[in-house]
Amino acid sequence: MEILESRLNVQSATFKENAKAMEEKLALLRERLKAARDDRSEKAYARHTEQGKLPVRKRLELLLDPNTPFLEIAPLAAWEMYDKRVHGAGIVGGIGIVEGREVMINANDAMIKGGTIYPMGVKKSLRLQQIAMENRLPCINLIDSGGAFLPLQSEIFPDVDNGGRVFYNQAWMSKMGIPQISLVMGLCTAGGAYIPAMSDYVVHVKKTGAVFLGGPPLVKAATGEEVTAEELGGAQVHCQQSGVSDFMAEDDADAIRIARQLVKRLPKFPKADVTRVDSQPPLYDPKELYGLLPQRLSVPFDVREIIARITDGSEFLEFKEQYGPTLVCGWAYIHGYPVGILGNNGILFPDSARKATQFIQLCDRDGIPLLFLQNINGFIIGKEYEASGITKEGHKMVAAVSTARVPKLTVVVGGSFGAGNYAMCGRAYSPRFLWMWPNAQIGVMGGEQAADVMITVKNDQMKRMGGEGLPEDQIDAIRQAIIENAEEEGHAYYSTSRLWDDGILDPAQTREVIALGLAAALNTPFEERTGSTVYRM
């Protein structure tokens, strides 16, 4: 492969200004991640300690193999939602290494509202299950939850993607042969009682763990019977009488010890067969990405500069370099894993969409995972381009992205707007993972473009009715309101709060995170790669 030659001037004033702006964004990201990790009330901490429980991060530390990475999913879910204190949607989840193998971990944080489940907590649990199912990862549930947050029950209970879907997914994971281990470390009540009941293995902690469909207050209200949580659904009840639980643990640490033993004896699954090479670092410092990224999305930059800072040896075999230049396609390795990379260098024209379709089909046929680097305003529009088939070529690209059977990973490195989001494998196109950089923005279109469209439509309506169009002061007011709304709902934190992505990344850590994502994705063998012929044009 050829080595990419960087043209980035790291001594320029622009580079230094960009780097300073990105450092400020990263300082804010670190501050918010720390709050999500540590912001717990003294009362909640004291109650947790009195019960003899370990904090959720300590539980994770004991569960994971020492000095191994943990790929946390959506750590800022529910950011600034509810009362701004439901950090991570009340769940710590992600992919870690236990007894030498990758597993999916879903852990309630009982120091946040007693582990009560909020609507975004349901959505996060479903996302973690989706990742486990797509990547064939054993699941470990650390359960410590008071059940659904009842004031928002209408957003939790009845719909297809609400709480009941968790148990539906559990049934399917069981049918797929994906092992599920549940550790009952606190309350596990109402519908949540089905989580351990539908697991393959249940470890139940004495005195603190309790499983029941209706808790003591509900039992008293319904039957008049007075009973404690331990008498109703404690470890002795379910290990000695009901048979719901399989192992009785003395405390949290003992439960985690048992869980690790269970993981150790799980059968090994065959991995996808890809040709790996020895890993080597990029020739250019990944931190130089800070100075590459402009402070305004409207300022272009060459996506090859990103590729040069995330690929092994900064090597990249570019496909059709002189054709469809607004989309860069080519092959590389990241930590020894082969990838086919698609990165935006402008809006999508018919030729760039056509090139993408062919490249995606080639990678899919050859079993090479796809990496999309999104910085896209959308497809070119206008009379000339409609006549030249932009809609047809865009459809082909979208179809190729939709049906590719190899793992797809997406990083939004700049803008992600309109149909460009779809064509470059946005959330709706099921990438195995999708991350955003702190500077990223997402929406149907940018604020300025949206404002221009709305003003034009309004003016046309008024003129058709015999008016003269909007006065300047109203135009300015409309423009400002639309731009402000687009900025509020389009920034990376708004996206990650609502689980439109799997987390916001430090650009310099992107290479490592992609490698972890690829390693997880290879737990699922690729589907048989048969199908239609690769279309050149």
Side-chain angles (χ1 to χ4, degrees):
M1 293 187 184
E2 295 183 0
I3 296 175
L4 288 170
E5 181 180 349
S6 176
R7 292 179 171 80
L8 186 62
N9 182 1
V10 298
Q11 302 300 324
S12 70
T14 299
F15 177 92
K16 293 176 181 178
E17 290 169 4
N18 289 344
K20 181 180 178 181
M22 179 54 71
E23 289 284 7
E24 291 173 354
K25 287 183 172 67
L26 290 173
L28 180 62
L29 175 61
R30 287 188 285 268
E31 176 185 316
R32 289 175 173 172
L33 288 171
K34 185 178 186 303
R37 182 186 180 97
D38 301 332
D39 181 21
R40 309 292 183 270
S41 71
E42 293 183 6
K43 181 180 178 181
Y45 187 84
R47 177 173 174 76
H48 205 74
T49 304
E50 287 169 7
Q51 293 175 322
K53 297 179 182 179
L54 296 174
V56 66
R57 296 284 176 175
K58 183 62 177 178
R59 289 170 173 172
L60 279 176
E61 180 184 329
L62 293 177
L63 179 61
L64 297 171
D65 291 355
N67 302 314
T68 57
F70 178 59
L71 181 57
E72 187 167 356
I73 302 298
L76 294 177
W79 174 79
E80 288 208 331
M81 296 178 70
Y82 312 121
D83 65 356
K84 302 184 181 182
R85 298 292 298 276
V86 186
H87 301 298
I91 292 171
V92 179
I95 301 171
I97 309 297
V98 177
E99 291 292 343
R101 69 182 298 168
E102 290 134 331
V103 300
M104 172 58 72
I105 300 168
N106 183 334
N108 298 116
D109 189 340
M111 284 195 284
I112 297 177
K113 314 292 186 181
T116 304
I117 304 299
Y118 281 71
M120 291 307 300
V122 172
K123 186 172 183 179
K124 184 169 179 176
S125 289
L126 293 174
R127 175 59 185 151
L128 296 175
Q129 287 184 320
Q130 180 186 18
I131 293 171
M133 293 167 79
E134 289 178 343
N135 301 289
R136 205 177 182 189
L137 300 173
C139 294
I140 302 178
N141 302 304
L142 308 184
I143 307 171
D144 193 350
S145 170
F149 182 65
L150 294 179
L152 295 177
Q153 61 177 327
S154 65
E155 299 177 40
I156 296 172
F157 171 65
D159 210 348
V160 65
D161 55 355
N162 287 169
R165 193 72 177 189
V166 171
F167 318 126
Y168 175 91
N169 286 345
Q170 282 192 271
W172 270 102
M173 281 192 280
S174 182
K175 189 170 184 176
M176 294 167 66
I178 297 174
Q180 299 171 70
I181 301 170
S182 284
L183 278 60
V184 181
M185 311 178 97
L187 292 180
C188 185
T189 184
Y194 289 119
I195 295 176
M198 298 184 73
S199 296
D200 299 298
Y201 307 98
V202 179
V203 183
H204 202 136
V205 179
K206 290 167 61 175
K207 298 183 180 179
T208 58
V211 178
F212 34 65
L213 292 179
L218 183 58
V219 170
K220 183 176 181 180
T223 70
E225 181 183 11
E226 292 191 8
V227 63
T228 67
E230 182 69 14
E231 293 169 337
L232 185 62
Q236 288 188 332
V237 172
H238 288 307
C239 288
Q240 297 176 4
Q241 299 178 41
S242 74
V244 167
S245 302
D246 307 308
F247 303 88
M248 187 184 297
E250 294 296 322
D251 52 24
D252 285 1
D254 189 38
I256 290 167
R257 178 188 63 81
I258 295 170
R260 287 182 55 84
Q261 289 183 339
L262 290 170
V263 173
K264 189 175 184 178
R265 62 156 301 280
L266 292 177
K268 299 291 186 181
F269 297 144
K271 287 202 169 192
D273 184 20
V274 297
T275 303
R276 291 195 64 188
V277 300
D278 293 336
S279 175
Q280 53 181 315
L283 296 182
Y284 306 101
D285 187 351
K287 287 190 175 181
E288 291 176 353
L289 293 170
Y290 301 166
L292 166 68
L293 299 170
Q295 298 176 54
R296 298 181 64 226
L297 291 182
S298 57
V299 178
F301 63 88
D302 190 346
V303 73
R304 295 178 185 86
E305 298 288 357
I306 295 177
I307 296 170
R309 288 161 179 82
I310 64 173
T311 60
D312 289 2
S314 300
E315 293 182 340
F316 184 61
L317 177 59
E318 187 162 350
F319 176 70
K320 288 185 182 293
E321 180 179 357
Q322 298 179 39
Y323 182 82
T326 60
L327 185 68
V328 174
C329 301
W331 294 275
Y333 291 91
I334 295 179
H335 276 286
Y337 293 103
V339 289
I341 300 175
L342 298 92
N344 300 117
N345 258 356
I347 59 178
L348 291 166
F349 285 82
D351 54 357
S352 47
R354 196 177 299 124
K355 176 169 75 171
T357 300
Q358 184 185 355
F359 180 72
I360 292 168
Q361 289 180 319
L362 287 169
C363 290
D364 192 44
R365 187 193 65 186
D366 295 342
I368 298 174
L370 292 163
L371 172 62
F372 295 82
L373 302 176
Q374 274 200 27
N375 181 27
I376 180 66
N377 281 329
F379 287 88
I380 189 67
I381 58 175
K383 181 179 178 181
E384 174 187 349
Y385 299 104
E386 291 295 346
S388 63
I390 184 60
T391 300
K392 175 181 64 177
E393 300 302 340
H395 141 70
K396 291 178 182 177
M397 180 178 177
V398 168
V401 171
S402 302
T403 58
R405 288 156 289 190
V406 292
K408 300 171 287 190
L409 291 81
T410 301
V411 183
V412 182
V413 302
S416 177
F417 297 112
N421 169 279
Y422 302 158
M424 290 296 292
C425 201
R427 189 64 130 185
Y429 290 78
S430 295
R432 297 288 183 92
F433 301 94
L434 186 151
W435 297 283
M436 298 186 81
W437 283 357
N439 58 303
Q441 293 182 25
I442 188 169
V444 174
M445 62 182 70
E448 293 183 6
Q449 293 93 334
D452 289 341
V453 170
M454 291 298 295
I455 290 167
T456 300
V457 169
K458 187 65 177 176
N459 273 333
D460 289 346
Q461 288 176 342
M462 294 180 69
K463 290 176 181 177
R464 283 198 301 271
M465 297 173 65
E468 296 182 357
L470 294 167
E472 284 299 322
D473 59 336
Q474 288 190 31
I475 289 175
D476 292 341
I478 291 173
R479 184 183 303 279
Q480 186 65 24
I482 292 175
I483 290 175
E484 288 178 358
N485 183 69
E487 289 177 352
E488 177 186 351
E489 297 186 356
H491 63 70
Y493 290 101
Y494 192 94
S495 168
T496 206
S497 177
R498 287 152 182 81
L499 281 159
W500 298 348
D501 58 67
D502 295 316
I504 301 175
L505 301 182
D506 178 341
Q509 296 174 352
T510 301
R511 169 178 159 83
E512 281 66 37
V513 171
I514 290 171
L516 291 173
L518 289 168
L522 295 180
N523 281 285
T524 301
F526 301 158
E527 295 178 36
E528 184 71 21
R529 289 183 293 276
T530 58
S532 62
T533 303
V534 174
Y535 293 105
R536 293 187 58 83
M537 295 296 173

